[in-house]
Amino acid sequence: MKIFLDSANVEAIRSAAELGLCDGVTTNPTIILRDAPGKEHREVVKEIASIVKGPISVEGVGQKKEEIIKEALEFSKWAKNVVVKVPITREGLAAVRVLEKKGVRTNVTLVFSVSQALLAAKAGASYVSPFVGRLDDAGQNGMEVVRGIVEAFRNYRFKTKVIVASVRSVKHVEEAARIGADIATIPPKVYEEMWKHSLTDKGIQLFLEDFAKAKGMRK
Ligand code: G3P
């Protein structure tokens, strides 16, 4: 499973990229406002693209097909690896068909059901982003929706990749991997928790103590 960072925090992205564990980045207007307040989308995306070679998702505000296409063509000039996030609406689906034919990769976002994901795949989207955390917040089971999308895409061998988004916990990441989702896009806080375990810390401490004891005995 590929790991994307769901962030516009350049320091967090750089740190993950240094480890070789950042396969891509996803943003949206809320993330850019939160992580890079006062900065232009263009400036932020170009900075991220100087660090990460993998796909970088960027979202505009256009709602009509022609507006979405215009914005997307502008975003794709910013860096070679830009992927354009398009909301799953009638206009969005129409824009996806055109953009993918023009060679602009799209990530159909705000996906909350298998049927939405199916239409995005049929429209030729490169990625779909089901929002698991927001589904859980609404009293549904976000990971069950992901399971359904992965199953449906396998049934018909769609090439569209599934990005598990709106990730809130390490458990979400683990379930995404068990289901076989292509990608999980992870907030830096959750990513930092992935290699931590209290028994690992305890184990390291014990080995250090025992090493010191053994050294003491040799004197
Ligand atoms: O990638 C989409 C994701 O950022 C949405 O997350 O936490 O705002 O539901 P959240």
Side-chain angles (χ1 to χ4, degrees):
M1 185 176 73
K2 290 198 169 155
I3 291 179
F4 288 5
L5 274 200
D6 197 24
S7 176
N9 179 328
V10 171
E11 289 322 309
I13 293 167
R14 199 181 308 267
S15 158
E18 274 167 11
L19 262 188
L21 290 173
C22 178
D23 301 307
V25 170
T26 50
T27 68
N28 61 36
T30 308
I31 290 174
I32 292 190
L33 174 70
R34 184 195 64 206
D35 294 345
K39 282 196 182 172
E40 294 258 356
H41 265 54
R42 185 168 168 274
E43 188 189 345
V44 179
V45 171
K46 284 191 154 200
E47 199 173 356
I48 297 171
S50 71
I51 304 167
V52 176
K53 297 271 171 290
I56 300 169
S57 286
V58 186
E59 187 162 357
V61 289
Q63 299 298 313
K64 292 279 172 208
K65 175 185 163 189
E66 293 309 328
E67 292 165 357
I68 297 169
I69 293 170
K70 193 170 165 224
E71 270 181 344
L73 294 175
E74 173 60 24
F75 295 164
S76 42
K77 287 185 204 150
W78 297 348
K80 275 194 295 203
N81 44 345
V82 161
V83 170
V84 181
K85 268 186 166 176
V86 179
I88 173 77
T89 59
R90 192 180 197 288
E91 297 283 319
L93 287 169
V96 164
R97 285 187 72 86
V98 175
L99 288 168
E100 290 282 347
K101 278 193 187 127
K102 284 182 185 288
V104 176
R105 285 182 298 164
T106 59
N107 171 359
V108 173
T109 189
L110 289 165
V111 167
F112 295 99
S113 69
V114 177
S115 63
Q116 289 179 321
L118 183 64
L119 291 179
K122 284 181 71 70
S126 297
Y127 303 92
V128 287
S129 289
F131 278 26
V132 292
R134 292 193 197 183
L135 276 163
D136 291 355
D137 292 346
Q140 294 180 53
N141 185 337
M143 293 314 303
E144 275 311 304
V145 173
V146 171
R147 192 184 303 280
I149 295 170
V150 168
E151 189 184 345
F153 284 11
R154 280 204 189 122
N155 285 345
Y156 300 101
R157 296 194 177 91
F158 281 118
K159 291 203 171 62
T160 306
K161 304 275 184 228
V162 179
I163 305 181
V164 177
S166 185
V167 162
R168 302 277 161 78
S169 63
V170 171
K171 197 164 170 22
H172 274 153
V173 181
E174 291 177 351
E175 284 181 69
R178 293 181 70 168
I179 288 168
D182 302 284
I183 300 145
T185 187
I186 307 172
K189 190 175 162 289
V190 174
Y191 167 79
E192 296 278 336
E193 287 167 17
M194 283 176 67
W195 59 79
K196 292 186 185 149
H197 197 289
S198 59
L199 292 177
T200 306
D201 296 341
K202 225 171 149 179
I204 291 172
Q205 190 54 36
L206 181 65
F207 291 153
L208 288 175
E209 285 167 13
D210 287 348
F211 183 82
K213 276 185 209 161
K215 204 174 163 197
M217 285 161 73
R218 282 200 297 272
K219 277 184 185 164

